[in-house]
Amino acid sequence: KALAQGGKSILISSHILTELSEMCDSVAVIEKGELRATGSVQGVLQSIQSFIQIFVRTIAPRELTERTLRELPNIDKIRHDGLGLVFEYTGTEEQLCQVLEILVSQGCKPVEFSQRSQNLEDLFLAMTEGKLQ
């Protein structure tokens, strides 16, 4: 960071993406020798992001919430995360409001419902389909 403030650039090649996201201003994703994406970390994340991740924690049993979510459109890849669930959402904001309304009406009793931000790890997995070489 001190070198960057002095106008210097450093090229780092690493698979430890959580550390890179803390120190990098820009990123280049290279897979099998092909440049897949380049730009600011946020810019690249936004350009490839076709979904948002939503975290929901409910008072009702997690199974009821998961079953309710599975019946709704625009929801994919539901997984357990701590005391709640995370899912990928591809619909509009208006439809997302309806998801919350349905969870309430079905007795799931949501106490947390928020968007999760994506990171470099998510970017890499989305661009390479999680395949490591």
Side-chain angles (χ1 to χ4, degrees), residues 23-41:
M23 66 176 102
C24 294
D25 296 324
S26 59
V27 63
V29 178
I30 302 171
E31 181 182 26
K32 296 181 181 176
E34 180 184 328
L35 184 62
R36 300 288 306 268
T38 184
S40 71
V41 174

Side-chain angles (χ1 to χ4, degrees), residues 100-119:
L100 185 54
E101 289 172 356
I102 290 168
L103 289 174
V104 170
S105 71
Q106 294 296 314
C108 296
K109 300 179 183 176
V111 292
E112 272 186 77
F113 192 87
S114 60
Q115 181 175 338
R116 287 267 172 100
S117 60
Q118 304 282 40
N119 58 34

Side-chain angles (χ1 to χ4, degrees), residues 36-96:
R36 300 288 306 268
T38 184
S40 71
V41 174
Q42 285 305 315
V44 172
L45 281 171
Q46 289 172 354
S47 72
I48 63 104
Q49 194 172 0
S50 60
F51 63 87
I52 59 173
Q53 283 189 345
I54 302 294
F55 173 79
V56 61
R57 182 173 63 88
T58 61
I59 293 174
R62 209 169 14 189
E63 296 75 25
L64 172 62
T65 305
E66 187 171 354
R67 189 170 49 250
T68 302
L69 289 171
R70 289 198 186 285
E71 295 173 0
L72 300 176
N74 305 314
I75 293 177
D76 195 22
K77 297 183 182 173
I78 302 168
R79 63 179 168 80
H80 294 230
D81 187 335
L83 297 175
L85 297 167
V86 171
F87 59 89
E88 292 179 4
Y89 179 75
T90 58
T92 66
E93 287 186 339
E94 183 70 30
Q95 292 166 325
L96 186 58

